[in-house]
Amino acid sequence: MIRPVPHVAEMAPYALADLGGDLVSMAQNESAFPPSPRALAAARDEMAQAPLYPDPDWSELRQAIAERHMLDPNMILCGAGSMELIGCLIRAYAGPGRAVLGSAYSYAFAATASLQAQAHYRQVPEPDLAVSVDAALDNVTPDLAVVFLCNPGNPTGTMVSNADILRLRADLPGDVLLVVDQAYGEFCDAAQDPSEIFALALRGDTVVLRTFSKAYALAGARVGWGCFPPAIAGELRKLLNPNNIASASQRMAAAAMRDQVHMRAVVARTGSIREAFSERCRAMGIDVLPSHTNFVLLRFDSADRAARVDQALRRSGLLMRGMAGYGLPNCLRATICDAPVMERAATVLKEALT
Ligand SMILES: *Cc1c(COP(=O)(O)O)cnc(C)c1O
């Protein structure tokens, strides 16, 4: 018999959203709107290069990111989705005998990556369904190696202030790596200056991650990036797969980064649909957390009601994401789709609740 190593044998497969066949997916926080037309044109142009390996240094893409965010290109690394960067960070800095701290409802992949690395994964409570810096600081232990924090949070959609993140960093021990995952950062850049958070990388102990999967509408291209202290970037490169991002994906992402007008329009349209949908849901008595992302978390008065609403949505061809796996069985997470889909969802919710 061929046996895997024990820690792999014991792992459950990663629980991606149920794809639900013909249902309209409101389950994976993909963009409701297409990417920049310039990104699509760049991918078509790049197809002729398919016989060649891609640029292992992501030079054009890093340049586009550095110009937009006024960062040093040498501090930027790109991954096959930010998931690849998260996995490599945890493998490089956590491992047997070392712990990773996440927050109660934070992104499930950090827990999976910790299991893969045989690190302990611990969660701090999120009393108000928002990250609590005090709770994180109360859970610092001698074995703590990495604090992984999503801001805005997924699946909560809530945001903590830059001041709170800066306070967390200042009060964490200097040998604990802080990873700030800003997968939804573009949805709140107008409200909070992102440069204050990127600047934390200059301290040498903090990494800030972003992705092209959400606001840039390129989830299928698999491109994530981050701002890394140079020493950490050097270690991470040892673990990233060489040639990790397909040429067409690199070109698409660079073109999308250079089309900020398009991205901001996607963010603005998504935000206005989100606010209108949230208001309608609140009028039906559903508790909707304030969201700074492209999704909303709908809280019902019981797990049973959430399950019945989920069934009614599925019968009408719509698939939201059940949150039992996150310990929130009375919640459904709804990706903001285009206005007609949200209209259908609101109609089904209304019927299911009356
Ligand atoms: C969507 C998401 C990611 C991005 O994953 P990619 O691998 O870049 O597609 C990372 N973190 C959070 C919290 C997310 O919701």
Side-chain angles (χ1 to χ4, degrees), residues 92-312:
Y93 292 95
R98 296 194 186 191
V100 177
L101 200 61
S103 62
Y105 308 115
S106 95
Y107 193 41
F109 187 67
T112 300
S114 301
L115 287 173
Q116 290 172 346
Q118 295 181 269
H120 295 292
Y121 182 73
R122 300 199 192 100
Q123 287 176 313
V124 295
E126 287 191 54
D128 306 313
L129 294 185
V131 165
S132 162
V133 164
D134 293 312
L137 290 169
D138 286 346
N139 281 276
V140 172
T141 47
D143 64 348
L144 184 60
V146 179
V147 172
F148 181 84
L149 199 146
C150 297
N151 195 40
N154 175 13
T156 58
T158 56
M159 178 174 82
V160 298
S161 68
N162 282 356
D164 268 346
I165 308 270
L166 300 185
R167 180 164 69 88
L168 172 66
R169 179 63 272 180
D171 290 352
L172 279 175
D175 61 353
V176 171
L177 172 66
L178 174 63
V179 180
V180 186
D181 178 354
Q182 297 191 318
Y184 302 93
E186 292 79 9
F187 291 91
C188 60
D189 279 347
Q192 287 214 97
D193 180 6
S195 64
E196 290 179 354
I197 302 301
F198 286 125
L200 287 175
L202 295 169
R203 294 173 43 113
D205 54 14
T206 304
V207 168
V208 183
L209 301 178
R210 293 222 168 186
T211 181
F212 286 89
S213 296
K214 309 287 163 53
Y216 290 99
L218 289 174
R222 310 303 304 126
V223 189
W225 64 278
C227 184
F228 294 76
I232 294 181
E235 299 304 319
L236 224 68
R237 275 186 182 263
K238 300 176 190 171
L239 295 178
L240 289 170
N241 284 328
N243 298 302
N244 59 344
I245 307 178
S247 319
S249 293
Q250 294 193 37
R251 293 286 307 277
M252 288 174 103
M257 183 57 72
R258 293 201 166 104
D259 193 350
Q260 290 291 305
V261 171
H262 180 90
M263 185 276 284
R264 289 200 188 106
V266 167
V267 166
R269 286 171 75 187
T270 305
S272 71
I273 295 172
R274 178 190 70 215
E275 292 311 301
F277 180 72
S278 300
E279 275 318 305
R280 281 182 79 174
C281 290
R282 289 185 187 117
M284 297 172 205
I286 305 168
D287 183 12
V288 186
L289 291 187
S291 168
H292 301 274
T293 65
N294 67 346
F295 61 86
V296 285
L297 189 69
L298 307 178
R299 267 203 293 185
F300 300 91
D301 51 16
S302 68
D304 183 54
R305 190 176 311 265
R308 277 187 285 121
V309 168
D310 188 25
Q311 287 310 317

Side-chain angles (χ1 to χ4, degrees), residues 7-65:
H7 77 276
V8 173
E10 284 161 18
M11 283 177 69
Y14 188 69
L16 279 172
D18 174 358
L19 287 175
D22 294 336
L23 304 183
V24 174
S25 174
M26 307 178 74
Q28 296 215 94
N29 300 343
E30 294 147 325
S31 174
F33 303 105
S36 163
R38 294 185 211 168
L40 300 177
R44 280 191 294 270
D45 288 351
E46 191 65 24
M47 287 302 171
Q49 301 303 314
L52 306 180
Y53 280 109
D55 176 1
D57 282 321
W58 329 282
S59 311
E60 184 207 357
L61 174 55
R62 282 200 295 159
Q63 195 56 41
I65 295 167

